[in-house]
Amino acid sequence: MAIKQDSHFIPYLDGRLHLRQIRSSDTAITDMSKPPILMLHGAMSNGRVFYSETGRGLACFLAEAGFVVYALDTQGRGQSTPRLQRGFKGGQGEVIRDQLPLIHHYILGLHPKVSKVHWCGHSWGGVLMASAISRYPLFQDSVASLLTFGSKRRIKIKSLKKWMMVDLGWNKLAQAIAWSHGYLAADKWRMGMDNESRQSLAQSIDWVRGDWIDHDDGFDYASAARDVAKQGKWPKSWFIAGSGDHVLGNPADVRRMVEECQLKDVNYTLLSKSKGFKHDYGHADMLTHKDAVDDHFIQVRQWYLSSHTSTRHR
């Protein structure tokens, strides 16, 4: 099935947020009965982790199945403007409190026949999405599901590779570069596919090794997450980890995030050869590997189709 890709630019502060819309070319979005899917990238990344111009990626795969998919570039990343530069003030709090609510409402405005949106996050994007859900009753009622790939709130595993990548590379070297240049030019230094602001970098470091507290207003996300769980308001969730993801989304740390959120209606999948998958997938290639289309992407498609069926018959 042929797909169509369009870029939407939503005004935000002194610039615009880029939202990539991907759908089958013969389907009008106003006729769609399935809830759309919003995808959020992680740190040092952008929406392109989910799609490509040539039709590769999870977003394109799901569009071929009849879903309308949206991939967001958060402020300063991807095609969002202005680009990160010295003096940029935004951090992860603005994504949680401002950008996700803005884009969520925008998508619902494009889909008047539905009242919910599926959320899908890669790595730190899953943490930011979980934070927004725990904070806002709006999302507890209007997020149809939460699917994450390699998402962890803390990194507690210990290894030489973790020390080199996180303790030395992320916590020390990346911060030094960011404070020297005004932001982390991760693409230039070959640390990631996009850049990172000083605020987001520092805030994510604090969360990875400490408490789940908003740096701007002190909101306690951990406590809120427990309250949401007690009320049974977490959406249906699925956390996917790769057995080859030894540091950034280590399976043990992914499971710790599930426990911290006290999720009940949740699936957990380990992408490993021992579990019947084609590879022991790593942090990035669980989304970008060419074999993913004929492997776990099929299960993801079925999960979304099943979610649509169960919602429709309630």
Side-chain angles (χ1 to χ4, degrees), residues 97-172:
R97 301 188 306 270
D98 301 334
Q99 296 170 45
L100 278 173
L102 173 64
I103 296 303
H104 188 83
H105 281 294
Y106 180 84
I107 292 173
L108 285 175
L110 295 177
H111 295 258
K113 293 185 179 181
V114 302
S115 59
K116 294 191 175 187
V117 179
H118 293 291
W119 279 15
C120 174
H122 176 238
S123 191
W124 203 248
V127 178
L128 300 184
M129 283 182 152
S131 301
I133 293 170
S134 69
R135 179 164 186 150
Y136 296 114
L138 162 69
F139 296 143
Q140 296 157 27
D141 294 329
S142 62
V143 172
S145 68
L146 175 64
L147 168 61
T148 73
F149 291 86
S151 292
K152 78 292 169 191
R153 214 279 297 169
R154 299 192 67 185
I155 298 180
K156 300 188 74 173
I157 55 99
K158 298 182 183 299
S159 68
L160 176 60
K161 189 174 183 179
K162 183 263 183 180
W163 179 82
M164 293 181 64
M165 291 181 63
V166 178
D167 299 335
L168 181 60
W170 186 249
N171 295 356
K172 302 295 185 182

Side-chain angles (χ1 to χ4, degrees), residues 64-239:
E64 291 177 345
F67 289 94
V68 181
V69 186
Y70 296 89
L72 174 65
D73 291 333
T74 57
Q75 185 188 24
R77 285 82 168 180
Q79 296 185 56
S80 292
T81 58
R83 295 287 294 165
L84 286 179
Q85 57 188 310
R86 183 179 294 275
F88 184 91
K89 300 297 184 183
Q92 65 183 22
E94 284 78 5
V95 178
I96 298 168
R97 301 188 306 270
D98 301 334
Q99 296 170 45
L100 278 173
L102 173 64
I103 296 303
H104 188 83
H105 281 294
Y106 180 84
I107 292 173
L108 285 175
L110 295 177
H111 295 258
K113 293 185 179 181
V114 302
S115 59
K116 294 191 175 187
V117 179
H118 293 291
W119 279 15
C120 174
H122 176 238
S123 191
W124 203 248
V127 178
L128 300 184
M129 283 182 152
S131 301
I133 293 170
S134 69
R135 179 164 186 150
Y136 296 114
L138 162 69
F139 296 143
Q140 296 157 27
D141 294 329
S142 62
V143 172
S145 68
L146 175 64
L147 168 61
T148 73
F149 291 86
S151 292
K152 78 292 169 191
R153 214 279 297 169
R154 299 192 67 185
I155 298 180
K156 300 188 74 173
I157 55 99
K158 298 182 183 299
S159 68
L160 176 60
K161 189 174 183 179
K162 183 263 183 180
W163 179 82
M164 293 181 64
M165 291 181 63
V166 178
D167 299 335
L168 181 60
W170 186 249
N171 295 356
K172 302 295 185 182
L173 178 60
Q175 280 215 96
I177 295 172
W179 285 102
S180 174
H181 294 277
Y183 67 97
L184 175 60
D187 54 355
K188 176 181 177 181
W189 288 85
R190 298 185 179 181
M191 301 176 71
M193 66 184 297
D194 211 321
N195 301 326
E196 197 69 25
S197 73
R198 292 196 307 187
Q199 286 82 353
S200 287
L201 175 61
Q203 291 163 357
S204 64
I205 289 173
D206 281 350
W207 277 14
V208 160
R209 63 188 180 189
D211 295 329
W212 197 4
I213 303 291
D214 194 289
H215 291 80
D216 300 317
D217 61 14
F219 185 85
D220 189 333
Y221 291 101
S223 177
R226 292 191 294 269
D227 289 342
V228 173
K230 290 178 183 178
Q231 298 170 35
K233 298 288 286 183
W234 275 107
K236 176 182 178 181
S237 303
W238 186 9
F239 279 60

Side-chain angles (χ1 to χ4, degrees), residues 249-301:
N250 186 282
D253 288 328
V254 171
R255 298 206 71 142
R256 288 188 185 96
M257 182 173 171
V258 173
E259 295 169 359
E260 183 174 31
C261 293
Q262 298 187 2
L263 300 174
K264 300 296 189 296
D265 186 7
V266 59
N267 295 331
Y268 170 82
T269 296
L270 180 64
L271 302 177
S272 70
K273 291 181 180 179
S274 65
K275 299 294 184 181
F277 295 97
K278 295 185 177 183
H279 304 279
D280 294 328
Y281 288 94
H283 194 65
D285 67 8
M286 64 176 69
L287 288 177
T288 61
H289 200 291
K290 62 182 179 63
D291 290 338
V293 170
D294 299 314
D295 209 359
H296 51 286
F297 280 12
I298 296 174
Q299 295 185 14
V300 172
R301 177 180 63 193

Side-chain angles (χ1 to χ4, degrees), residues 1 39 130 183 225 235:
M1 181 185 296
M39 296 184 169
Y183 67 97

